[in-house]
Amino acid sequence: MTISHDVLVVGAGLAGQRAALQAFRSGVDVGVISKLHPLRSHSGAAQGGINAALDPKDSVKDHIYDTVKGSDYLADQDCVEILCKEAGPTVIEMEHMGTIFNRAPDGSLDRRAFGGASYNRTIYSADRTGLALLQGLYEEVGRDPRVRIYEEWDAIDLVVREGRVQGVVALQRKTGKIEGFAAKAVVIATGPAGRVYGKTTNSHESTGDGCSLAYRAGAYLKDMEFVQFHPTCLPHTSILITEGARGEGGILRNSKGERFMERYAPHFKELASRDVVSRAIVTEVKEGRGFPDGTVHLELMHLGKEKVESKLQEIVAYARTFAGIDPVVQGIPVFPAQHYMMGGVSTNSRAETNIPGLYAAGEAACVSVHGANRLGANSLLETLVYGKIAGQNAAEYAKKASASTLGPTDIDAATSVVHQILERKEGESPAKLRSELQSTMDELVGVYRHPDDLINAVTRVAQLKERYRSVVVADKSTVYNLNLMEAIELGHLLDLAEVIVTGALARTESRGAHVRTDYPKRDDAKWMKHTLAQITKEGPSISYLPVTVTEYQPKERAY
């Protein structure tokens, strides 16, 4: 059986739903497949806020500059300009859809400070901004039943033939049946791939499925070596402590009681860009100024009980529940953990990939507006701005394209791969392989990257990919077989890990979140370019693409 839509969106977080809404408003038939209920999408985990220069004292130009500077000048400035110009209208549109933002005493949208920003332009909903946006958008999409959402379907193959995308093959979790979804245009919006690491703020479902499927189908992946580590996460659990906590006035202190960010970023201190703060924390701990548990402390006590408990409600709950401390009276132990992928499926400013009919948006894509380091509160903005652009352009493409030709052979090819895993009687455990992969990435491809570690990581990932060929599952059933889904997701994680470590080894400079101990300086003469990876039988084929520079020439980045 084949289901047909003009535009098929894979993923139902903020980028996916915004793409679906815009495609539908453009007059085409739209389907959305998601392995989760849309309100459980990882977009809902975003806490701190969404950036927009809405204050008359602020400016779009300053937002653009802050974003380019934060990216360590690797962002494409034409794409950043689109992002920042659309920020204000996007926030207002989401408010009109029902998103409830915090208000200032005069009734205007309240704003908090965020890292790397020269002005307080982060609009927020307590510390649940992603969830507030997701709820408003979900209600808007749900107003019209003609936008068909297929919940708990896992995309397992992206079909490209005759020089264009033809559709997706997907597996339904509750029945185990595999079906084809024919589409004239496909939008990849499957979110992050953080579970390539063990210590990550990402949900367990964040396995980079769409990135991997696009890569296997011939799409370029861009800048995958740039992995963001969020500076303030709870140890052991890696639960995120929002940058909004520092935006409200939180202070980082080491075991000596020093406000150590004064040494690393004398002007911005705790609100320097995330890569700067993460490296500062790691350095403090490595040089013996951390606490016995290998952390530093984030102090909120001086802000007062009322402010902390009203504006940082989830953070208070997380600290009390998972760290056993009360942030109203105690410092929160924190240490960096993987948080965001600056890289993704390579797109241009129209959200187009190198495959006709294939589009991408959100964290699954790399347009690139974040370059080597994303500023906090620009990610929610990107999902909505470029989700809308992806939906618009996918719809326009679909209106002109001929019908797709997804057929039984396409479904049979994907089914065969799944059946091989189910029918195999002995082999490698997906849980064991996944644990080894995550340990490899945690140990060898972290905040600081050593050349010998990267070489070791390349070897280890290659060995894991070879062992994955004999992956086996204990559960042979067809209904909600999460053991099978874990095995399929592991294949995606291995694909992306290989691209990350290959790109990191090749880039012999330090820029943004990518820091090489053997090449500690940024090298604009050699490396002012994006990394592109394309799949081959031998592994990722690496090439490069110039960075688009319009107004802001690269210069030393200081906070």
Side-chain angles (χ1 to χ4, degrees), residues 501-517:
V501 297
T502 302
L505 184 59
R507 185 174 284 270
T508 53
E509 68 158 352
S510 291
R511 185 187 297 268
H514 171 71
V515 176
R516 290 280 298 260
T517 57

Side-chain angles (χ1 to χ4, degrees), residues 112-245:
R112 60 172 39 135
F114 244 59
S118 58
Y119 195 84
N120 293 3
R121 66 172 66 94
T122 301
I123 294 153
Y124 63 98
S125 181
D127 52 358
R128 301 184 182 94
T129 311
L131 184 59
L133 290 165
L134 193 62
Q135 288 174 329
L137 185 54
Y138 180 64
E139 290 176 6
E140 186 71 19
V141 171
R143 292 182 194 278
D144 198 313
R146 288 175 292 179
V147 178
R148 180 72 186 274
I149 299 179
Y150 302 86
E151 295 175 15
E152 297 188 325
W153 284 81
D154 289 72
I156 57 175
D157 195 21
L158 175 66
V159 180
V160 175
R161 199 188 324 102
E162 300 167 13
R164 52 165 283 201
V165 72
Q166 301 290 344
V168 167
V169 180
L171 183 151
Q172 187 179 37
R173 290 191 174 191
K174 73 176 181 180
T175 64
K177 69 180 178 181
I178 297 173
E179 293 190 2
F181 288 77
K184 298 175 182 178
V186 173
V187 179
I188 298 294
T190 50
R195 283 290 156 178
V196 75
Y197 286 81
K199 297 175 182 177
T200 178
T201 65
N202 285 192
S203 68
H204 287 282
E205 300 289 342
S206 299
T207 51
D209 305 4
C211 284
S212 172
L213 292 178
Y215 176 60
R216 293 174 186 176
Y220 287 108
L221 299 185
K222 186 193 299 175
D223 292 342
M224 290 295 291
E225 66 266 35
F226 293 105
V227 178
Q228 182 166 89
F229 291 80
H230 197 287
T232 54
C233 304
L234 293 181
H236 311 302
T237 62
S238 295
I239 291 173
L240 177 68
I241 303 299
T242 175
E243 194 164 305

Side-chain angles (χ1 to χ4, degrees), residues 259-442:
R259 187 180 182 181
F260 59 86
M261 283 309 303
E262 293 176 338
R263 286 197 291 273
Y264 301 91
H267 300 294
F268 281 63
K269 301 181 179 66
E270 284 81 9
L271 291 175
S273 62
R274 288 178 176 175
D275 60 320
V276 172
V277 181
S278 291
R279 286 193 293 275
I281 292 173
V282 171
T283 300
E284 289 294 303
V285 172
K286 281 190 173 183
E287 293 184 356
R289 295 185 293 277
F291 288 87
D293 61 353
T295 67
V296 299
H297 283 183
L298 174 63
E299 296 186 352
L300 306 176
M301 303 91 77
H302 57 286
L303 302 178
K305 178 181 175 70
E306 182 180 355
K307 184 174 184 178
V308 172
E309 291 190 340
S310 64
K311 292 194 172 184
L312 299 168
Q313 300 163 12
E314 285 198 344
I315 300 311
V316 171
Y318 292 153
R320 290 171 177 167
T321 303
F322 296 103
I325 63 101
D326 186 349
V328 173
V329 294
Q330 297 169 279
I332 305 172
V334 293
F335 194 77
Q338 191 281 337
H339 179 60
Y340 188 87
M341 296 289 185
M342 271 71 76
V345 182
S346 179
T347 73
N348 59 18
S349 62
R350 291 173 50 81
E352 297 167 327
T353 72
N354 59 301
I355 298 174
L358 182 64
Y359 298 78
E363 193 171 344
C366 180
V367 57
S368 148
V369 291
H370 306 308
N373 174 71
R374 175 177 69 80
L375 290 190
N378 268 354
S379 57
L380 289 177
L381 178 61
E382 185 203 9
T383 62
L384 297 169
V385 170
Y386 279 97
K388 179 179 180 179
I389 289 170
Q392 179 69 46
N393 291 315
E396 295 306 316
Y397 177 91
K399 288 177 182 179
K400 299 173 184 176
S402 58
S404 56
T405 57
L406 196 64
T409 55
D410 300 309
I411 300 170
D412 291 345
T415 302
S416 175
V417 174
V418 173
H419 284 175
Q420 285 177 28
I421 296 173
L422 286 171
E423 293 167 4
R424 195 171 288 130
K425 291 183 169 43
E426 57 183 31
E428 294 276 1
S429 159
K432 184 174 186 295
L433 291 179
R434 182 167 171 156
S435 179
E436 289 185 36
L437 171 65
Q438 291 173 336
S439 295
T440 295
M441 299 300 288
D442 285 343

